mmCIF file of all heavy atoms in Angstrom:
data_model
loop_
_atom_site.group_PDB
_atom_site.id
_atom_site.type_symbol
_atom_site.label_atom_id
_atom_site.label_comp_id
_atom_site.label_asym_id
_atom_site.label_seq_id
_atom_site.Cartn_x
_atom_site.Cartn_y
_atom_site.Cartn_z
ATOM 1 N N LYS B 1515 3.482 -9.141 8.352
ATOM 2 C CA LYS B 1515 4.880 -8.967 8.766
ATOM 3 C C LYS B 1515 5.356 -7.552 8.448
ATOM 4 O O LYS B 1515 5.982 -6.896 9.286
ATOM 5 C CB LYS B 1515 5.778 -10.000 8.051
ATOM 6 C CG LYS B 1515 5.527 -11.421 8.515
ATOM 7 C CD LYS B 1515 6.350 -12.431 7.760
ATOM 8 C CE LYS B 1515 7.775 -12.478 8.259
ATOM 9 N NZ LYS B 1515 8.471 -13.698 7.790
ATOM 10 N N GLU B 1516 5.041 -7.092 7.244
ATOM 11 C CA GLU B 1516 5.493 -5.759 6.844
ATOM 12 C C GLU B 1516 4.874 -4.678 7.715
ATOM 13 O O GLU B 1516 5.556 -3.765 8.172
ATOM 14 C CB GLU B 1516 5.144 -5.506 5.365
ATOM 15 C CG GLU B 1516 6.060 -6.268 4.421
ATOM 16 C CD GLU B 1516 5.504 -6.369 3.001
ATOM 17 O OE1 GLU B 1516 4.489 -5.710 2.697
ATOM 18 O OE2 GLU B 1516 6.094 -7.132 2.207
ATOM 19 N N GLN B 1517 3.563 -4.795 7.942
ATOM 20 C CA GLN B 1517 2.870 -3.783 8.749
ATOM 21 C C GLN B 1517 3.390 -3.789 10.191
ATOM 22 O O GLN B 1517 3.554 -2.734 10.797
ATOM 23 C CB GLN B 1517 1.360 -4.047 8.751
ATOM 24 C CG GLN B 1517 0.698 -3.802 7.403
ATOM 25 C CD GLN B 1517 0.597 -2.329 7.066
ATOM 26 O OE1 GLN B 1517 0.303 -1.508 7.931
ATOM 27 N NE2 GLN B 1517 0.864 -1.972 5.833
ATOM 28 N N LEU B 1518 3.632 -4.988 10.721
ATOM 29 C CA LEU B 1518 4.166 -5.077 12.087
ATOM 30 C C LEU B 1518 5.536 -4.405 12.163
ATOM 31 O O LEU B 1518 5.826 -3.677 13.110
ATOM 32 C CB LEU B 1518 4.267 -6.540 12.531
ATOM 33 C CG LEU B 1518 2.955 -7.259 12.843
ATOM 34 C CD1 LEU B 1518 3.219 -8.733 13.146
ATOM 35 C CD2 LEU B 1518 2.226 -6.611 14.014
ATOM 36 N N CYS B 1519 6.347 -4.652 11.147
ATOM 37 C CA CYS B 1519 7.703 -4.081 11.162
ATOM 38 C C CYS B 1519 7.668 -2.558 11.063
ATOM 39 O O CYS B 1519 8.486 -1.877 11.684
ATOM 40 C CB CYS B 1519 8.548 -4.681 10.037
ATOM 41 S SG CYS B 1519 8.994 -6.391 10.395
ATOM 42 N N VAL B 1520 6.695 -2.032 10.320
ATOM 43 C CA VAL B 1520 6.563 -0.565 10.231
ATOM 44 C C VAL B 1520 6.164 0.002 11.594
ATOM 45 O O VAL B 1520 6.738 0.983 12.074
ATOM 46 C CB VAL B 1520 5.542 -0.170 9.131
ATOM 47 C CG1 VAL B 1520 5.171 1.303 9.233
ATOM 48 C CG2 VAL B 1520 6.113 -0.461 7.751
ATOM 49 N N LEU B 1521 5.181 -0.650 12.226
ATOM 50 C CA LEU B 1521 4.743 -0.161 13.539
ATOM 51 C C LEU B 1521 5.871 -0.275 14.564
ATOM 52 O O LEU B 1521 6.136 0.660 15.334
ATOM 53 C CB LEU B 1521 3.532 -0.975 14.034
ATOM 54 C CG LEU B 1521 2.201 -0.703 13.335
ATOM 55 C CD1 LEU B 1521 1.176 -1.755 13.739
ATOM 56 C CD2 LEU B 1521 1.675 0.686 13.669
ATOM 57 N N TRP B 1522 6.511 -1.409 14.546
ATOM 58 C CA TRP B 1522 7.590 -1.689 15.504
ATOM 59 C C TRP B 1522 8.765 -0.712 15.307
ATOM 60 O O TRP B 1522 9.226 -0.071 16.243
ATOM 61 C CB TRP B 1522 8.057 -3.140 15.289
ATOM 62 C CG TRP B 1522 9.051 -3.679 16.254
ATOM 63 C CD1 TRP B 1522 9.512 -3.091 17.397
ATOM 64 C CD2 TRP B 1522 9.712 -4.947 16.158
ATOM 65 N NE1 TRP B 1522 10.411 -3.926 18.024
ATOM 66 C CE2 TRP B 1522 10.549 -5.069 17.284
ATOM 67 C CE3 TRP B 1522 9.669 -5.995 15.244
ATOM 68 C CZ2 TRP B 1522 11.357 -6.189 17.503
ATOM 69 C CZ3 TRP B 1522 10.460 -7.101 15.466
ATOM 70 C CH2 TRP B 1522 11.292 -7.205 16.581
ATOM 71 N N GLY B 1523 9.197 -0.617 14.045
ATOM 72 C CA GLY B 1523 10.410 0.169 13.778
ATOM 73 C C GLY B 1523 10.181 1.659 13.664
ATOM 74 O O GLY B 1523 11.053 2.452 14.043
ATOM 75 N N ASP B 1524 9.018 2.048 13.122
ATOM 76 C CA ASP B 1524 8.804 3.475 12.841
ATOM 77 C C ASP B 1524 7.899 4.160 13.869
ATOM 78 O O ASP B 1524 8.167 5.285 14.271
ATOM 79 C CB ASP B 1524 8.177 3.669 11.450
ATOM 80 C CG ASP B 1524 9.088 3.208 10.327
ATOM 81 O OD1 ASP B 1524 10.277 2.944 10.623
ATOM 82 O OD2 ASP B 1524 8.634 3.109 9.191
ATOM 83 N N TYR B 1525 6.797 3.491 14.214
ATOM 84 C CA TYR B 1525 5.851 4.180 15.105
ATOM 85 C C TYR B 1525 6.321 4.148 16.564
ATOM 86 O O TYR B 1525 6.414 5.190 17.215
ATOM 87 C CB TYR B 1525 4.442 3.578 14.996
ATOM 88 C CG TYR B 1525 3.533 4.148 16.064
ATOM 89 C CD1 TYR B 1525 3.077 5.458 15.965
ATOM 90 C CD2 TYR B 1525 3.194 3.413 17.201
ATOM 91 C CE1 TYR B 1525 2.299 6.029 16.972
ATOM 92 C CE2 TYR B 1525 2.417 3.965 18.206
ATOM 93 C CZ TYR B 1525 1.977 5.266 18.083
ATOM 94 O OH TYR B 1525 1.226 5.825 19.086
#
Side-chain angles (χ1 to χ4, degrees):
Chain B
K1515 291 177 79 164
E1516 285 163 9
Q1517 291 288 320
L1518 288 175
C1519 288
V1520 168
L1521 287 169
W1522 186 7
D1524 296 349
Y1525 171 73

